[in-house]
Structures are given as C-alpha cells and as structure tokens.
Amino acid sequence: KNKQFPNSLPEMNVPRESEFSPLWKSRVKNTLDFIEKDLATSDIICLQEYWFEPVYQKLFHERFGSDFEFLTKKRPGEKTDGLAILVRKDSLKHMGSQGIPLSSMGDRVGLLSHLKYGRKAQHSLLLANCHLTFPHNQLDQKLQLNQIKSITYQMELFASQENVPLDTPRIIVGDFNVEDSDQVCDHLRSIGYKSAFRSFHSPQKHVVTHKNHKGEQLMVDHIWICNPQKEDIKNLSIHDNFAERPELSVRDASLFPKGIDDSVWNSNFSISDHRPVQVKLGLSLKESTL
C-alpha cells in the first residue's frame, strides 16, 4: 500500500510532498525496493492511493511490468490517485476488470477483477480492491456502509456479467478506514465473508496497520474472503448433483516489515503510513453434493 502520493494534510496551504520531485522520487524508489524485496513473490498486489502521475507510473512499470499485469482505476475529477491491482502473469490469467463508482462525495471508487487460476486457467476468482471514506463524522460512517454495500452488490453484478460459476470464491481487499468491529465489517460477515487475518490469528490479537492523522493506532487494512456455500447458491440445474467446489483457505497472515511488534505503530517504517498486510491463500477443489 502506498499512502504518500499526494499526502493528505489538513492545512490546505501546506506544501505537499508531491510538489517536490527529489522527495517523492526518493520515496518511490524506497517503495519499489521494498515491494521487490518483500512483496514481489506475491501473485497479487493491491495498492490504494496509487498515484497517476506519469513518471511515477513509469517507474512502477519499469520495475514490475515484465512480471505483473497492471489494472488501475483513477478517482474522478481532479483527484490524482486511485487504485491498482498487480497480477502476476505466470500465475493468474486476467479475464476482465471494471472500475466502479462508490460515492460522489469524496469521489471514492472500487476496482473489480475476474482472474483464473489452475494448470489450464480453468477456475475463476473474483477480487475487489477499495479505499473507503475516512470517518470524520456520522455522515462519513453512513457513506462507508453504503460504499461497502455498493462493492458487494456490484461484485455480484460483475460475477453475472463475467458468467462465472455461482460458487466462485470472492476476495475484498483494501483500506477500510475502520477496524473489523465496525458496521462496515459486520455487513461483510452477514453475507458470508470472513477476515483472512483474523481467521489465522486470535480475534483478540491487537494489531496496528495504520497511525492516522489523529494519532490513533488502528488495524484498518483488511483482506476478506468468501467461499459461497451451497445454501447460498440459487438456480442450480437439475444435473448439478456433484461438483468440484473451489475453496479458499488461509495458510498464513502477517504484516510487513516482519520481525517488528504488530501491536504498536513503528515510526522507523517511513515509506508509508500503512503497514502492508500479506495473506497466503490456498485454492483447492472440494467435491460437494449440490
């Protein structure tokens, strides 16, 4: 995750780091080095506040363009940042993607992707990357809930559009700007999603992925997975007696950099104000009676 371009500063007259080329180029080099060293073995890398400045994008493509396909969605209007999904070319096949509006207030967007995996790229996976509104007040909290509901609703429309099997696993990734006890995450749990990180670690484990502008140390970066169950699948044809059902399982979940305390913000980590979350998922096929 890259949260530094441009910086979000409360004082409108304070210069932004993005206005000083030597500063942001130094930071992006450190960011690229970090991704290459710690994250580049990943099959999927999701970024929020990805900067659409041409030189910035060129540096990313030069470093990772040979190994990853870039899927991006810019926020509308004068906003210069957005979302990016990097998909490893030799592990997954990109079938289609769609940028979606989440709300006009704050110009929030989501990015949906249909990927295929397996030796013959025969199995589908649906992925959403998002960055929800910061909860300054009750209106923003309502916006957040509307935004996540919009993502899950449009995910299902996208699934229909891509004609994927009904039991295709789903993943929603992003900066939710809330902890997992919030109503936003309650909505995801209510429709069958579970936190990949929490399913691997104790729910009571205190984890910090972000120190916000209020000085609050929180876990706001989440990876949610869903394996649709047979009771959730409608309109099965009469010959669907047996099927191999794809299923996601969590094999590991950790924060980067590794080896430092996850329960407090580490000020030595300076390339971003969010610590990246990495989850290793297993994708298996299970025979199930439908």
Side-chain angles (χ1 to χ4, degrees), residues 167 169-170 192 194 225-229 232 245-249:
D167 57 0
R170 285 116 161 102
K194 66 178 182 179
I225 64 173
C226 179
N227 294 305
Q229 301 300 307
D232 300 323
R245 178 168 58 87
E247 187 168 285
L248 292 170
S249 60

Side-chain angles (χ1 to χ4, degrees), residues 69-124:
E69 183 168 355
F70 280 67
L71 316 175
T72 61
K73 174 61 178 177
K74 180 183 173 295
R75 294 167 72 189
E78 297 182 357
K79 303 293 185 181
T80 59
D81 70 297
L83 303 168
I85 300 174
L86 280 59
V87 178
R88 184 173 291 280
K89 296 175 182 178
D90 61 6
S91 299
L92 296 157
K93 184 177 181 182
H94 170 231
M95 303 302 296
S97 59
Q98 181 179 318
I100 56 172
L102 298 184
S103 66
S104 57
M105 293 183 66
D107 298 318
R108 297 293 174 174
V109 295
L111 180 58
L112 308 177
S113 178
H114 171 204
L115 306 172
K116 285 202 169 184
Y117 65 96
R119 291 181 180 178
K120 297 181 181 180
Q122 71 273 39
H123 305 299
S124 288

Side-chain angles (χ1 to χ4, degrees), residues 2-9 11-12 14-28 49-56 78-81:
N2 175 33
K3 289 282 292 179
Q4 298 296 333
F5 305 100
N7 281 332
S8 297
L9 297 174
E11 301 86 358
M12 296 302 292
V14 175
R16 299 186 177 198
E17 183 180 87
S18 57
E19 298 174 23
F20 300 94
S21 179
L23 289 179
W24 71 255
K25 285 184 177 179
S26 174
R27 189 188 294 274
V28 75
E49 291 197 15
Y50 177 77
W51 201 20
F52 281 78
E53 201 281 334
V55 175
Y56 177 88
E78 297 182 357
K79 303 293 185 181
T80 59
D81 70 297

Side-chain angles (χ1 to χ4, degrees), residues 1-3 39 42-49 71 73 82-87 92 98 100 102 108-113 115 125-133 147-148 151-152 155 169-178 184-185 188 193-197 209 219-226 248 250 254-255 274-281:
K1 179 178 176 71
N2 175 33
K3 289 282 292 179
L39 302 180
S42 300
D43 294 318
I44 302 170
I45 300 174
C46 294
L47 304 172
Q48 298 86 41
E49 291 197 15
L71 316 175
K73 174 61 178 177
L83 303 168
I85 300 174
L86 280 59
V87 178
L92 296 157
Q98 181 179 318
I100 56 172
L102 298 184
R108 297 293 174 174
V109 295
L111 180 58
L112 308 177
S113 178
L115 306 172
L125 175 70
L126 295 176
L127 171 69
N129 186 13
C130 65
H131 183 188
L132 305 187
T133 293
Q147 288 164 7
I148 196 60
I151 290 169
T152 55
M155 173 85 91
R170 285 116 161 102
I171 305 175
I172 300 179
V173 176
D175 174 0
F176 288 72
N177 267 315
V178 295
V184 166
C185 302
L188 291 173
Y193 283 83
K194 66 178 182 179
S195 165
F197 193 93
T209 65
M219 183 176 187
V220 299
D221 304 279
H222 305 287
I223 298 172
W224 293 85
I225 64 173
C226 179
L248 292 170
V250 183
S254 57
L255 304 187
H274 287 248
R275 286 181 64 187
V277 180
Q278 184 185 64
V279 170
K280 294 182 181 179
L281 299 173

